[in-house]
Amino acid sequence: MRIATWNINGIKARLELLVRWLEEEKPDIVGLQEIKTVDEGFPRAEIEALGYNVETHGQKSWNGVALLSKLPFDEVHRRLPGRDEDEQARLIEGVFSVEGGVIRVCNIYLPNGNPVDTEKFPYKLEWMDRLNRFVQDRLALEEPFILMGDFNLIPAPIDAHDPAAWWGDALYRPESLEKFRILRNMGMTDALRAISAEEAYTFWDFQAGAWRRNAGIRIDHLMLSPQAADRLDDVVIHKDVRGWDKPSDHVPVEGAFSF
DNA sequence: ATGACTGGTAACACCAGA
């Protein structure tokens, strides 16, 4: 089974791009971030026509996440627990039946956190604290659990073309990295790093010729519970999609699993 | 390389992204 995450950066502006990629790759489950629409504005019919079940958690203008799956959804959960007044649509989770049990796939759009001298940065850190508590509960289930999405986090110097230029940014500074380290120390494995030690990026800015210069960063991740990591076969970053017409600034990251 | 783009909303500019 192939499971992918992709920050699509506006589903209405990228429907043609998404359809092309789904038709070419035919992934089993896809998590989208930054759909930038309310649920009613999501092009559900066009995606269903390709054989996917569709669940969304949208909001007007910004954020918003969706799960597409060839398997039927047994359960769907929306919102990150722990703070009722948080209105931002950044988490959707699905549970699916597979041979021998279930898999749980949680799709997130983790807050960017910039600028760091505004309320956006403490919001990011508080969101990561809540995410870590949520993941701790999920790990207690001892299921194959895949936490994937746009983490807005550069894990290590090798994950940026110019790490010195990023140091201090909300994506790459001690407070953010500490929260991510807690997530890993709980037992969540970075799928790409379980497969490869090579430099690899998932995002290239639209500005300053970042794509042409390969001035990228790796911020889109699949993080795996032990039961999911045991079944991981491969990870593919679909870098070529960044060069297609009207691309997102992020590319799909896909994990292949033996279930 | 010091480079500066894109979508959504609304209104003919601004905000947000990373």
Side-chain angles (χ1 to χ4, degrees):
Chain A
M1 180 176 301
R2 289 179 293 118
I3 302 176
T5 174
W6 192 6
N7 182 322
I8 196 73
N9 192 355
I11 186 62
K12 293 173 190 170
R14 311 266 187 243
L15 180 58
E16 203 175 327
L17 184 80
L18 174 63
V19 166
R20 177 180 168 190
W21 189 71
L22 292 175
E23 284 178 337
E24 287 192 12
E25 296 298 331
K26 302 177 172 61
D28 297 286
I29 298 174
V30 179
L32 301 174
Q33 304 91 38
E34 284 204 89
I35 61 174
K36 296 185 177 179
T37 177
V38 293
D39 295 332
E40 295 72 26
F42 192 91
R44 166 180 293 274
E46 289 87 340
I47 306 301
E48 286 174 343
L50 300 175
Y52 290 93
N53 300 287
V54 175
E55 295 286 349
T56 61
H57 179 35
Q59 70 178 86
K60 191 179 176 183
S61 306
W62 300 303
N63 307 321
V65 285
L67 274 173
L68 322 177
S69 174
K70 297 211 166 180
L71 302 175
F73 287 83
D74 292 349
E75 295 175 31
V76 182
H77 303 279
R78 294 172 176 82
R79 303 175 67 94
L80 177 63
R83 193 166 152 241
D84 290 344
E85 62 269 32
D86 184 1
E87 302 282 343
Q88 299 190 26
R90 295 179 175 277
L91 183 149
I92 187 167
E93 180 186 59
V95 180
F96 307 93
S97 294
V98 295
E99 196 178 324
V102 300
I103 59 168
R104 187 179 291 269
V105 179
C106 183
N107 174 40
I108 63 166
Y109 177 45
L110 204 150
N112 175 297
N114 284 306
V116 293
D117 59 353
T118 68
E119 73 289 345
K120 289 171 188 286
F121 188 55
Y123 174 69
K124 176 178 192 155
L125 297 178
E126 186 266 347
W127 205 94
M128 293 181 85
D129 281 336
R130 276 195 285 147
L131 179 68
N132 286 343
R133 289 197 291 276
F134 172 83
V135 170
Q136 194 141 41
D137 290 344
R138 290 300 187 239
L139 283 167
L141 300 173
E142 301 191 350
E143 294 169 344
F145 171 57
I146 297 159
L147 175 70
M148 66 183 188
D150 178 356
F151 281 70
N152 272 312
L153 190 120
I154 299 166
I158 195 176
D159 298 312
H161 179 262
D162 184 359
W166 283 96
W167 186 245
D169 189 280
L171 280 63
Y172 188 51
R173 59 186 288 129
E175 303 93 323
S176 312
L177 288 166
E178 181 190 355
K179 308 295 184 194
F180 190 67
R181 189 167 64 244
I182 290 168
L183 180 73
R184 282 184 303 195
N185 288 343
M186 282 193 281
M188 297 294 284
T189 298
D190 180 341
L192 189 277
R193 285 292 167 242
I195 294 291
S196 167
E198 301 295 311
E199 186 173 292
Y201 308 134
T202 65
F203 168 90
W204 296 261
D205 202 294
F206 288 124
Q207 302 187 60
W211 169 241
R212 181 174 46 79
R213 295 187 293 123
N214 193 32
I217 52 177
R218 189 174 73 93
I219 56 174
D220 301 273
H221 309 301
L222 285 85
M223 303 298 292
L224 311 179
S225 75
Q227 294 80 7
D230 285 346
R231 302 298 192 95
L232 179 68
D233 295 322
D234 198 12
V235 176
V236 175
I237 298 175
H238 291 266
K239 183 175 178 178
D240 59 310
V241 177
R242 186 63 178 77
W244 291 7
D245 285 342
K246 293 242 320 165
S248 170
D249 39 9
H250 299 249
V251 297
V253 182
E254 183 181 64
F257 297 87
S258 303
F259 44 59

